[in-house]
Amino acid sequence: MAYTVYEKLGGPNDVLEKIRDFLVDKGFTVLNNCTSDLDINGSGVNDGNVLAVKKKDIYAVFRSANGKVIFSNQQNSNQAYGIGLTCATNYTVNPPSGQWFDQPNVVVNTAQSPIGVGIPVKQSENYRLYCNYVDDPAIMVVLSLELEKGIFQHLAFGETQKVGTWNGGTIFSGSKNSYNMFPTSWDVEQIAVGSNHLFGMSSNPSTFLRIDVDAAPLRQNPVLWATTGPATGACSTGKILGSPLTNLDSLGASWFPKVPHYAYLQSQTVSDYGRNVNTLNCISVNLPIALYIQRDPDSLMNFSQVGYVPAVYAISMRNIAPASCYEISYPKSGNLHQVFPHVKRAGMFGYDGISIMQ
Amino acid sequence: MPWKKIIYNYKGSSASFLDDVLADVTTYVTDQSIHGDDAWQLMRNESWPYGTVLKVPNYQENEYGYIGLMADKIRVGSSYWNWLKQDDVLRKEFALSKKGLGLADNTDFTINNGVVTLYSKNPYDVKVGIKKLPNGKEEEIYSKNYSFTARDSYTFSPTPDIFAKDANVLFFTMFKQYQPEFDWSELMGNERASIQAKALKYYNTYRGQTYPSFLDPPLYPGVGCPAIGYSPDYFDFSKNECSQDDKEKAITVYLYKDRHRLIIVINWQEHWDVASVGFFEAFDTQSEYPFPAMALGGTSGALPITELCSYNGTPQVEHGFRLDYTEKNWSLSHGIPTFASTWWNGSNTFLDSYMYSQVQAMLPNGNWQSFANFGLQQDAYYYHDRGQYYSAHKEPERISGARYYLTPNFTDLSTVKNIYPSGVANIAYLNDVATENCSTYQLEPLYFVANTAENTNQNLLGKIKNIYWSSQQVTRYGIHEKDGATYLVLPNGWVNRKFHIKNFFSVLQGESQSNERQIAEIERLDKLSRCMNCVIKLSE
């Protein structure tokens, strides 16, 4: 399916409405249609809107931030403009606490505080929003907001393309997690600082997978979600999810899972094209994003592969412009993929990018 | 194969000359009524930094390449800095680049009008709400915010520049693929290594740095590719129009095109420039050498310079080169392909990594490589009696350690009539009809040569088609006809050009040299000068 692009966007509420329009068009059921929501810290002010959607087993809840924090533990409240996303296994319009993220089996950190992912959104004049939806081999939605020309932040959610049979499957990811989502300032150099590779490993993870793994759901505080980072931290769930994509500074960390990774193929510096581009004939290869889960007992750091992120691949952006489509399988296949940098082409992650099946 | 002669007459400003040439080239090479199936396809026709892109057939069916032509008006003091100081460029080429500051991902910095400032982050808590605890007490909720304190600030001084003179320039290159969104520098297959032009200097003003840090100049879009260039007002006639006759005003441009390549020759009075771009004839098969791209220009722009600099009161001499694309650049980096030259620091290591000349080809490994037969240097002499430095061009040297060069490559061709035995295919003969004795020239084809790393074996990569070196002195330049074929004979840049002009004959070395020795020197250089010719075959 072809992507949809929205231009001349306003602030967080406007971007949220465009996301709603896109998801409705793709057959999602709307459970909460951008209704206005009270400040989570009880000031009594409406400071953002809630959008909740459902398709198959996927429950995704979005919340726009317009000056106030939207999760319990967030930094940079002075720049609190953006969109947060979390996923659950059901949805209620009137949660007991009154807080939008207080949903059944929602993602929580090891301190039992609901967490999620998020992106900063400028108060006005966001450049463009690209929306991708794929339902074969599994459902995947990728929302790519271009805040300034060339600077991207992504939100993605969908279901895992499973290997084997297991309970769960909802996966979601963002350029930043809920703790980090607001920037320290709106300077172009600062907007993206703290970003991760979409679906990548990070010491501040921002990818979550719903999975019943071994005895984790039966623990005193059930662990229902795994995340692509260390077992402890502001956005850690207690179970590690392994992905081949990674922020390079995580590679040497003690918690880094011993699973096949692309760190050596990725861009090593701002001007390094990475080893996933064939400069002889200018072809970039689509590398699949496999998912691995930490097994009990955690201390052994054993991992099993559980599936793939559907329709999204790791690539080098050397030969391809951001948001452009290219035909895979040289010389002619008719199969188009749209490509994005994780943040910025030739930026902090060099030429690392993602390619989304159309 | 078709060729065309176009004559331009400028009554006033000639500033648009290279734009006009580019427009005429584009019209000509895409004209199906002339070239039939061999006509090229115009992909885009845009100004700097995007350029004009033409789709050109490679040798194998359904394989293509893209020729890039881009006109630009370069101005010393503004063009380069205005490009470099853009946030996107300075971030990539300086702030985050390992060659520059090499800042880590998590460094807090800003770029403001070319100044990169680093900050320390100072956390402070902001109260965002109050939480009621089950025991009835209240707990304040905080969010961590940050303020910034400047800690380092990097400023370039003097204003960074890679150019030595104002010039209107036409650049030439080849691309492997075309993507409309990418500018000239980003298009695939146009990656060029550093040319090692004279380093830019920057200081950490916050720390009061007095001795500069150096940055290898990032490549401005177009720089690194061969070019043809002129002073902005070179062809202007507005001032003395009535004293110029039409013949003097006429600038003649010759265009030659076949299926795979383009040759452009520009002639004004006694001044000639030649450029060629497209695919050369590789000796390997298409599967062994899939993309034999070449780009030859009238100039690489390299102008050796020395500068006397003073840091903390200590003077020192700095060597290097900047780019002068104009007709005024009389170093051999400006001239015909047979005398291709690179700036050189004297070491073979430099030649292996940084050779930069006006003749370039893409090696089978996909890298652009300059080919050069001569090395250019400049020297500084300290003249004790006057307490002054003088800078002087050294005589161009045969760079015997070079791994990539062109053949024929003799330093002194004045006594050579035949390099190859007669009867070898591909060698044509041309009579100089202007000379009374009607002497015969042997036309020596130009080959790209690659040495092995050990310098023990030489490999011929391929032939530059239709461009030849003539084995004897030429006495008449311009169109020659022989046996139904048309040839264009041109000098190296301009008629009666000297291979080298000695500096400071009298001032510095005169005292120690006899007049006989000086005259012998002049005669030796004259002999070399007479070899500098080029013949282009325009039709069979």
Side-chain angles (χ1 to χ4, degrees), chain A residues 68-255:
Chain A
K68 292 185 182 299
V69 295
I70 56 171
F71 284 93
S72 307
N73 186 15
Q74 289 191 292
Q75 63 173 4
N76 295 320
S77 58
N78 287 350
Q79 280 77 241
Y81 292 86
I83 291 178
L85 162 68
T86 193
C87 289
T89 58
N90 211 323
Y91 182 75
T92 169
V93 182
N94 297 307
S97 65
Q99 292 171 321
W100 66 277
F101 48 68
D102 191 7
Q103 300 297 336
N105 296 330
V106 75
V107 191
V108 292
N109 63 14
T110 46
Q112 301 302 300
S113 176
I115 53 173
V117 298
I119 56 171
V121 179
K122 288 163 60 183
Q123 290 182 57
S124 62
E125 292 176 13
N126 291 283
Y127 191 63
R128 273 176 188 155
L129 176 70
Y130 297 89
C131 302
N132 271 286
Y133 171 81
V134 181
D135 56 13
D136 182 31
I139 292 173
M140 179 52 61
V141 176
V142 183
L143 308 162
S144 306
L145 180 68
E146 195 172 4
L147 282 87
E148 309 252 357
K149 190 160 172 49
I151 299 180
F152 289 86
Q153 294 280 277
H154 309 276
L155 290 172
F157 68 97
E159 51 189 2
T160 310
Q161 184 188 350
K162 288 183 183 178
V163 171
T165 309
W166 41 272
N167 282 335
T170 299
I171 185 166
F172 69 106
S173 182
S175 291
K176 299 186 184 186
N177 60 30
S178 53
Y179 179 73
N180 264 338
M181 65 181 275
F182 303 126
T184 45
S185 90
W186 293 100
D187 188 283
V188 287
E189 309 298 341
Q190 292 292 328
I191 292 177
V193 169
S195 294
N196 296 326
H197 288 78
L198 192 68
F199 295 112
M201 307 300 296
S202 165
S203 53
N204 256 307
S206 57
T207 301
F208 301 94
L209 172 68
R210 168 74 194 92
I211 183 167
D212 286 350
V213 50
D214 299 329
L218 307 174
R219 292 183 194 175
Q220 181 65 39
N221 286 325
V223 176
L224 301 176
W225 295 81
T227 184
T228 52
T232 55
C235 286
S236 295
T237 59
K239 266 287 175 196
I240 299 177
L241 173 65
S243 159
L245 265 176
T246 181
N247 289 1
L248 292 182
D249 59 4
S250 296
L251 185 59
S254 59
W255 57 265

Side-chain angles (χ1 to χ4, degrees), chain A residues 5-34:
Chain A
V5 58
Y6 299 95
E7 294 184 285
K8 294 180 185 160
L9 297 150
N13 287 352
D14 187 30
V15 174
L16 192 67
E17 282 164 23
K18 297 297 187 295
I19 292 173
R20 187 259 332 266
D21 293 349
F22 175 75
L23 294 175
V24 168
D25 187 49
K26 298 302 173 193
F28 278 80
T29 306
V30 174
L31 304 173
N32 194 336
N33 192 359
C34 296

